[in-house]
Amino acid sequence: MNETTTFVIYEHPLNEKVRSWLRLETLLSQIFALQHIDSYTSGIAFFRAVSELIEVLDRGEVRSELIKELDKQHQRLVAWSEAPYVDKEIIVGLLADVNNKQVKVKTAPRFAHQLRGDKIISMVRQRLSIPGGYCGFDLPLLQLWLNLPQPERDQRMSLWLDGLLPLKESLDVILLLIRNSGYFELIESHNGFYQDSVEDKYLLRIKLPVNELIYPQISGHKTRFAIRFLHFDSEHGIVPPILKFELASC
C-alpha cells in the first residue's frame, strides 16, 4: 500500500478452509516482514504474530488440507494443459512448482514445531494473554535476547523461519492459483446493495477505486453472498444509487 494506489482489492472467503488460509497468509506475512527486529516494540509485534499463528495452526488439520488442495490444483492444471491455445510452458512450470510444494509439505516436520518448543516464544506467549503483560519488567529474558549480538539472534530467527517455509510456500502457490482462477467483471450495485449466487467457488474479490471512499461489507458462504457498500464517512458520505465495481469469483 502506498500513495500511488488507485484501487483496493477486498477479499471474502466462501468456506472455513479458505478463511483459515487467509488468516495464516496474513500472519506469515507479518512474521517474515518483522524478522529483522530492531526494537522491543517490533519484537513484541513479531512474537504476537507467532503466537497467533500457532493458535490458528492448532485449530485444524492444516497439513492434510494443503496436501488435498495441492492435489486438486495439480488435477486442474493437467486439465488446463489440454485446452486449446493455452500457454503450455506456463502450465508445465506451475505443475513443477505444485509437485515441489507437495513433496515439501508431506516430508516437513509438524508445522511450527520449532516455535512451540522454544523457551523465549513460550514465555512471551504466556504474557501476551495478559493486557499490557509484556512490559520490560515482565519479560527480562526477552530484553536480554534482544540485546544479544545480531548474528546470534539471526541464527535463531533463521531456525524459526526455515521451519515455516514449507507452510508458507505451499500456501502461497495455492492462493495464487485460486486468485488467478477468477477474472474481474464490471458489475453494478443499486442503492448500495448487491447479491448473487456462486457454485464451487473459494473466494470473492472486489475491486473499488480508493478516491470514491467506498468499501464493501460482505456476507456469504458456499453458494450465496451479499455485498453492502458503505462510505468511509458514515455520517456525511453518500453511496451513489448506481455504483460500478469489479467482482471476481475464484
Side-chain angles (χ1 to χ4, degrees), residues 91-152:
I91 297 296
V92 168
L94 288 171
L95 279 169
D97 196 20
V98 168
N99 289 336
N100 176 263
K101 300 304 184 291
Q102 279 183 309
V103 172
K104 287 186 176 180
V105 170
K106 289 178 179 178
T107 58
R110 184 187 181 196
F111 291 150
H113 77 283
Q114 299 96 334
L115 307 180
R116 290 182 179 86
D118 189 271
K119 180 179 178 181
I120 298 172
I121 291 175
S122 296
M123 188 169 293
V124 176
R125 286 188 70 198
Q126 291 174 11
R127 302 303 306 180
L128 288 174
S129 63
I130 303 171
Y134 44 82
C135 296
F137 61 82
D138 292 305
L139 293 167
L141 176 62
L142 179 60
Q143 276 192 293
L144 173 60
W145 185 75
L146 291 173
N147 284 279
L148 293 178
Q150 189 66 44
E152 189 172 337

Side-chain angles (χ1 to χ4, degrees), residues 129-175:
S129 63
I130 303 171
Y134 44 82
C135 296
F137 61 82
D138 292 305
L139 293 167
L141 176 62
L142 179 60
Q143 276 192 293
L144 173 60
W145 185 75
L146 291 173
N147 284 279
L148 293 178
Q150 189 66 44
E152 189 172 337
R153 287 193 289 124
D154 287 345
Q155 183 178 9
R156 177 164 290 201
M157 185 69 73
S158 294
L159 179 65
W160 291 339
L161 299 189
D162 287 349
L164 294 177
L165 283 176
L167 169 62
K168 184 179 187 302
E169 291 176 353
S170 61
L171 197 57
D172 285 347
V173 72
I174 286 172
L175 292 175

Side-chain angles (χ1 to χ4, degrees), residues 145-227:
W145 185 75
L146 291 173
N147 284 279
L148 293 178
Q150 189 66 44
E152 189 172 337
R153 287 193 289 124
D154 287 345
Q155 183 178 9
R156 177 164 290 201
M157 185 69 73
S158 294
L159 179 65
W160 291 339
L161 299 189
D162 287 349
L164 294 177
L165 283 176
L167 169 62
K168 184 179 187 302
E169 291 176 353
S170 61
L171 197 57
D172 285 347
V173 72
I174 286 172
L175 292 175
L176 174 68
L177 291 170
I178 289 174
R179 287 172 174 134
N180 287 339
S181 69
Y183 57 92
F184 284 104
E185 296 181 273
L186 190 62
I187 306 289
E188 286 185 355
S189 73
H190 296 268
N191 299 317
F193 183 76
Y194 179 82
Q195 63 180 347
D196 204 351
S197 58
V198 290
E199 288 186 17
D200 300 321
K201 299 297 183 180
Y202 287 16
L203 183 69
L204 295 178
R205 308 186 80 209
I206 297 168
K207 184 187 291 186
L208 285 166
V210 174
N211 59 7
E212 292 186 1
L213 298 179
I214 292 171
Y215 64 95
Q217 191 174 70
I218 310 165
S219 60
H221 193 71
K222 292 185 179 180
T223 60
R224 294 195 62 80
F225 67 90
I227 307 171

